[in-house]
Amino acid sequence: MMKAASWSGMSIGKSIGKGMALFAIVFAGAYGAMVWFNQTKGTEKPLIVYKSDPGANLAVQNAGSLPDFRSAVQKILPSVVSIDTLVQGENWFGEQVIEPTGSGSGVVLSQNGYIVTNNHVVTNGGRRVADRIVVKFKDGTSEEATIVGRDPRSDLAVLKVNRNDLTPVTVGDSAKLEVGEWTIAAGNPLGFEHTISVGVVSSIGRPLQSSDSAIFVDGIQTDAAINQGNSGGALCDSEGRLIGINTMIATTDQGSIGIGFAIPANRVRAVVDDIIKFGRARYGRVGVSVRRDSSILTIPRARQQLMEIVGTTTEPPEEGVLVQQVFEDGPAARAGLKALDIILSIDGKATKETRDYQVIMANKKPGDQLKLKVWSAGQSKELTVTLDDAGGA
């Protein structure tokens, strides 16, 4: 039985595990909405110069010493904001009113007003875009924000406020994360502004998918307490560097049970840069659909049927990604890929199952060239596919 937890319509339900505990994957945001975005035209000059630190993500503690996060917290909190969303409606008497729909968190990326949050925060869980968004800062001041762009696929949105005196977060390198490192979560859980919780990196590379179209092939799992309202807030390392944007939790009762998830900072950076430059995040398109369950290749009868259909006596591999459909005039079709081909590797990286394919493709952009090794009707082939633009969200 699926259990959906909600906070003013901001939740999604998902069952995880087999025959054991039943959990709900819920957005970690309170509730959300959004204004239709103004697209920013491309420019050669970066619109955000990220404040960064080339060092490791975690300062190694001296043997026997206890960690002290006070210095890190002082760096983090000025860059964390609370976000309230409102929509225009009509009351019982037919009067036009502005009503609050939810609250969440955000992180300041630049001195001149760019802020990142979750898409589900500014769209009321994907239901409706907010008519107004109000951002509240650590010093108690508030500003109305506009939306530069949003990306449901990554569950990220970029806001802009008319300020030039903000304190941007320092962005770390999420690729360097290791399980067991300290984490600090900062946000607006249940309306308690600028709340800090501490934990560790519980796992990395978690594949997750929400019912709001967001796809996470490389989620960071942490046991730092994340609750509804933390959505869009910061997940930082022990030195105050941003390593992720908090986005959802697994729970049995709608509250934190120590299983929270964040979008890695490196993915956040790529999506934000695209949104600011193009008004949307860009994704590369291969022009195929692949079978979700790759285990069919391990079934002898299915393998025999595949050989008969493609007309070969050569056994297909037991691992790989089975192509179900190749779209006419798409990149894959132009490269010579065919339905029922099996993708064995992309750019030298083995694609033993569909998840491998999804992870590799998550970072690909239009114009990227892929070197595919495939099994095709008993023959081994190498193809080069130049990706198209997958289009808007």
Side-chain angles (χ1 to χ4, degrees):
M1 179 178 178
M2 196 74 72
K3 176 184 177 183
S6 67
W7 179 262
S8 276
M10 271 280 319
S11 67
I12 57 175
K14 194 172 182 70
S15 169
I16 61 176
K18 293 184 179 179
M20 297 297 289
L22 186 63
F23 291 85
I25 298 289
V26 304
F27 285 130
Y31 25 68
M34 160 177 160
V35 179
W36 290 112
F37 57 81
N38 296 317
Q39 292 194 356
T40 302
K41 293 182 179 179
T43 174
E44 295 302 318
K45 183 179 180 181
L47 296 179
I48 289 184
V49 177
Y50 289 98
K51 184 179 176 183
S52 62
D53 187 327
N57 277 328
L58 179 67
V60 178
Q61 303 291 338
N62 293 328
S65 66
L66 294 175
D68 187 337
F69 302 106
R70 287 177 294 180
S71 176
V73 168
Q74 289 174 4
K75 296 177 184 177
I76 297 166
L77 287 184
S79 304
V80 176
V81 301
S82 62
I83 296 174
D84 293 311
T85 56
L86 306 97
V87 297
Q88 186 171 333
E90 195 174 89
N91 64 17
W92 289 100
F93 305 102
E95 299 171 318
Q96 294 295 312
V97 295
I98 294 290
E99 299 178 335
T101 57
S103 63
S105 306
V107 180
V108 176
L109 294 178
S110 70
Q111 185 177 353
N112 64 337
Y114 284 103
I115 295 168
V116 66
T117 186
N118 285 142
N119 178 66
H120 75 257
V121 169
V122 296
T123 60
N124 192 19
R127 291 174 176 82
R128 177 181 172 179
V129 176
D131 294 312
R132 292 180 59 191
I133 301 172
V134 178
V135 176
K136 186 175 181 180
F137 300 91
K138 182 66 168 63
D139 62 7
T141 60
S142 298
E143 295 285 345
E144 192 158 338
T146 57
I147 291 183
V148 179
R150 61 188 183 93
D151 181 38
R153 179 167 171 172
S154 65
D155 194 24
L156 292 171
V158 179
L159 309 180
K160 183 72 166 62
V161 296
N162 189 23
R163 293 273 294 266
N164 288 293
D165 59 348
L166 301 184
T167 302
V169 72
T170 298
V171 181
D173 184 355
S174 57
K176 295 180 180 179
L177 284 179
E178 296 183 10
V179 174
E181 293 188 21
W182 288 108
T183 58
I184 304 172
N188 180 37
L190 304 177
F192 293 97
E193 297 174 356
H194 294 95
T195 294
I196 291 290
S197 59
V198 175
V200 297
V201 176
S202 304
S203 182
I204 54 178
R206 284 290 191 204
L208 302 164
Q209 183 167 352
S210 79
S211 62
D212 190 40
S213 302
I215 301 171
F216 310 99
V217 296
D218 53 1
I220 302 168
Q221 181 181 330
T222 181
D223 64 347
I226 296 174
N227 286 285
Q228 292 165 332
N230 273 116
S231 268
L235 186 69
C236 296
D237 64 17
S238 65
E239 294 193 1
R241 291 180 286 252
L242 184 75
I243 56 174
I245 295 296
N246 299 319
T247 188
M248 62 172 64
I249 60 174
T251 184
T252 56
D253 60 2
Q254 303 185 26
S256 174
I257 58 171
I259 306 176
F261 303 98
I263 306 163
N266 290 4
R267 181 170 302 283
V268 174
R269 188 197 297 259
V271 171
V272 168
D273 288 350
D274 260 5
I275 287 176
I276 291 175
K277 188 172 182 179
F278 303 104
R280 62 179 176 85
R282 301 179 308 147
Y283 294 97
R285 172 179 174 267
V286 181
V288 301
S289 65
V290 300
R291 186 178 176 88
R292 290 186 179 183
D293 183 8
S294 302
S295 64
I296 190 172
L297 294 175
T298 65
I299 303 173
R301 183 177 177 184
R303 289 157 53 77
Q304 182 62 40
Q305 288 180 342
L306 177 59
M307 291 166 60
E308 293 172 0
I309 292 171
V310 300
T312 183
T313 57
T314 303
E315 286 247 354
E318 295 187 13
E319 293 180 331
V321 177
L322 182 63
V323 176
Q324 285 190 310
Q325 183 180 2
V326 177
F327 299 111
E328 187 176 354
D329 296 328
R334 293 194 295 268
L337 197 67
K338 296 180 174 60
L340 300 183
D341 283 356
I342 299 172
I343 302 173
L344 304 176
S345 68
I346 299 176
D347 294 336
K349 298 179 181 178
T351 52
K352 296 181 178 181
E353 57 184 8
T354 303
R355 177 188 168 187
D356 297 331
Y357 173 84
Q358 293 171 332
V359 169
I360 293 171
M361 291 305 303
N363 292 319
K364 298 301 181 182
K365 298 291 185 182
D368 286 353
Q369 286 192 336
L370 306 183
K371 301 293 185 180
L372 271 59
K373 184 177 180 180
V374 302
W375 180 93
S376 180
Q379 302 291 321
S380 179
K381 293 183 178 181
E382 293 187 359
L383 306 174
T384 299
V385 179
T386 303
L387 302 183
D388 283 348
D389 192 330

